[in-house]
Amino acid sequence: SKKGFIFDLDGVIVDTAKYHFLAWRKLANSLGIDFTEVQNEQLKGVSRVKSLEKILNWGNKEVSQGEFNRLMAEKNEDYLSYIYKMDASEILPDVHRVLNLLKEHHQGIALGSASKNAKLILEKVNLLDYFEVVVDGNSVTKAKPDPEVFLNAANALEIKPDNCIVFEDAVAGVEAANAAQMISIGIGSKNVLSHANFVFKDFTEISNDFILQLINQ
Ligand code: G6P
Ligand code: MG
């Protein structure tokens, strides 16, 4: 039967966390705030606004609304300088195989991302054509763990939430998928993503048989 397969972007399809890290670190340092990889981990799946709020908090800094907006724009401009250089070689291992298998079996394929840059990134890595539906940070009002992003994707695919499967690398994303009554598949560590229905280190661990079972169940 036709199921809806909803993919998070950052950390699932491509590893943009390293570019977010470079851009946030540059911004934080320019404000005299330290920024480590451990802190960057805590920004996975977190919106741009919430990320800057956290960084300013860590540095005990307060800024005006105008300055806050300027800092967000500056970070994004720097982040985009990395994004513009991306190409298909940055697609994570076996993502193509899984997408091709889903296409072959005429499954619904959607993106469910908090990023406002999602469409641009999919274009850069040449994957936009696979996605029937793209729900991103431009169309969502409530951030993950709220289920809105995934419910909107299911709605646009015209597939019931309990017939949808979500791939997520962030704890908040797994919570959002669970709250949407969808099957959650964590991509990453079992310890971190303990609330997911299934967890795999990456797509190389996900067999075609496993995908076919999801389609046929
Ligand atoms: C994803 C990433 C976050 C990022 C957010 C917003 O959820 O995991 O690290 O902050 O998207 O991304 P954006 O491209 O709109 O700044
Ligand atoms: Mg992610």
Side-chain angles (χ1 to χ4, degrees):
S1 61
K2 188 174 176 185
K3 297 281 164 68
F5 288 83
I6 308 174
F7 292 77
D8 174 48
L9 176 68
D10 298 289
V12 169
I13 292 177
V14 285
D15 175 23
T16 44
K18 59 189 179 205
Y19 303 138
H20 281 296
F21 173 67
L22 293 173
W24 280 130
R25 187 179 60 183
K26 186 171 172 189
L27 188 86
N29 290 354
S30 78
L31 297 167
I33 302 172
D34 280 338
F35 186 67
T36 64
E37 302 243 20
V38 175
Q39 285 167 314
N40 194 51
E41 276 299 306
Q42 297 179 47
L43 302 184
K44 280 191 181 170
V46 176
S47 73
R48 199 181 304 171
V49 173
K50 282 264 152 57
S51 298
L52 182 54
E53 282 172 2
K54 275 179 185 268
I55 290 168
L56 292 173
N57 235 326
W58 288 327
N60 284 316
K61 258 205 150 42
E62 275 185 45
V63 298
S64 68
Q65 187 60 53
E67 178 70 353
F68 190 95
N69 291 340
R70 196 191 63 71
L71 293 171
M72 278 208 305
E74 188 179 318
K75 182 270 174 175
N76 196 53
E77 207 175 296
D78 193 37
Y79 177 65
L80 287 177
S81 70
Y82 299 108
I83 300 307
Y84 287 132
K85 289 181 212 144
M86 288 182 87
D87 62 30
S89 68
E90 296 207 37
I91 298 167
L92 291 170
D94 279 20
V95 167
H96 264 132
R97 172 178 57 81
V98 171
L99 287 172
N100 284 330
L101 184 68
L102 294 174
K103 269 270 178 272
E104 246 171 68
H105 291 268
H106 311 289
Q107 298 299 297
I109 304 179
L111 194 86
S113 167
S115 172
K116 295 191 170 177
N117 299 305
K119 265 214 166 115
L120 171 69
I121 295 169
L122 285 179
E123 264 169 26
K124 292 299 296 176
V125 302
N126 205 18
L127 284 181
L128 192 55
D129 287 349
Y130 280 97
F131 292 87
E132 193 178 324
V133 162
V134 173
V135 180
D136 63 19
N138 298 300
S139 55
V140 162
T141 55
K142 288 171 259 158
K144 301 169 188 175
D146 190 283
E148 183 185 12
V149 57
F150 296 137
L151 292 174
N152 287 358
N155 194 44
L157 286 171
E158 298 182 41
I159 297 176
K160 287 202 184 73
D162 57 1
N163 280 324
C164 289
I165 296 104
V166 172
F167 297 100
E168 254 295 345
D169 71 313
V171 174
V174 167
E175 304 293 355
N178 292 344
Q181 313 284 327
M182 299 176 178
I183 295 176
S184 54
I185 302 188
I187 302 293
S189 136
K190 276 205 169 77
N191 298 327
V192 178
L193 304 173
S194 59
H195 290 171
N197 295 122
F198 304 92
V199 181
F200 299 96
K201 188 170 60 59
D202 56 34
F203 281 95
T204 66
E205 287 191 346
I206 303 183
S207 68
N208 286 358
D209 277 350
F210 178 78
I211 298 286
L212 294 176
Q213 274 172 38
L214 290 171
I215 294 173
N216 294 319
Q217 85 189 4

